[in-house]
Amino acid sequence: MAKKDESSDGLRLNRRNFLRTTGVVGLAETIAAPVELAAQSAPAAVGPGDVPVRLNVNGRQIDLMIEPRVTLLDALRTRANLTGSKRGCDRGACGACTMIVDGRSVYSCSTLAIEVQGKQIRSVDGLAGGDRLHPVQQAFCDKDALMCGFCTPGFIMASVALLEKNPNPTPEQIKKGLDGNICRCGTFSRIFEAVSSVKGVQRG
Ligand code: FES
Ligand code: FES
């Protein structure tokens, strides 16, 4: 006697058929497709151990072996002996760590070193030309725009980024351009005065 085909008369209710009848298979396939696509296009994972990272800082190539989780601030301060940029909050709130990456000011405490490979990184360490201060550094000195000086490297880099984009900012534009930086000593009015006094900053 031939074996009875249960699927032909609708008696067979396996797991897949059950899910299909309830629409769950379609839903699962809809979800799975983009997940698979994302997995295919995701960049290869690196770390967690040390990996080679090549940075271009102040026009100089720096090769490091660091974990992918190392921030730009830590990479430069602790591995490249570039200690001009300061760690204030270490969480993107104070601006003491500000550097310029491809012309934009960034919080280096919140930027991974590995992310900025191939970009032009500028830190306060490379701003002066030998014994000659950058015009913004000179203006901060001339206007006495610092007290303890801890925020100063970040303010100077943020000011350079601002002036390179807009060489003649209004007082309002200066305030807005520097609103990511905090001075706990309260030297804001002198900082704004210093930035206003700078003329002729060229694109770096
Ligand atoms: S140390 Fe980076 S924003 Fe404060
Ligand atoms: S000069 Fe002291 S925090 Fe700004």
Side-chain angles (χ1 to χ4, degrees), residues 147-149 151 183-185:
M147 288 179 72
C148 78
C151 68
C183 174
R184 291 172 179 81
C185 298

Side-chain angles (χ1 to χ4, degrees), residues 60-142:
R60 185 164 65 95
Q61 181 177 302
I62 298 177
D63 288 303
L64 301 170
M65 287 296 296
I66 52 176
E67 293 177 26
R69 67 187 176 96
V70 173
T71 64
L72 177 58
L73 178 65
D74 277 339
L76 297 198
R77 280 187 61 82
T78 66
R79 308 298 182 95
N81 203 26
L82 294 174
T83 55
S85 308
K86 305 303 179 204
R87 183 200 316 278
C89 63
D90 207 20
R91 59 189 60 195
C94 74
C97 63
T98 302
M99 297 183 194
I100 299 176
V101 177
D102 279 355
R104 292 182 55 235
S105 60
V106 301
Y107 292 147
S108 61
C109 72
S110 308
T111 303
L112 295 177
I114 200 169
E115 286 179 315
V116 289
Q117 294 185 100
K119 298 181 188 287
Q120 301 294 319
I121 302 158
R122 294 160 65 200
S123 74
V124 72
D125 313 86
L127 211 50
D131 290 339
R132 234 173 108 233
L133 293 178
H134 184 280
V136 174
Q137 291 173 309
Q138 189 62 56
F140 271 63
C141 294
D142 294 345

Side-chain angles (χ1 to χ4, degrees), residues 171-187:
E172 273 315 303
Q173 288 169 331
I174 292 172
K175 280 187 192 166
K176 191 162 178 353
L178 302 182
D179 65 2
N181 294 65
I182 294 170
C183 174
R184 291 172 179 81
C185 298
T187 59

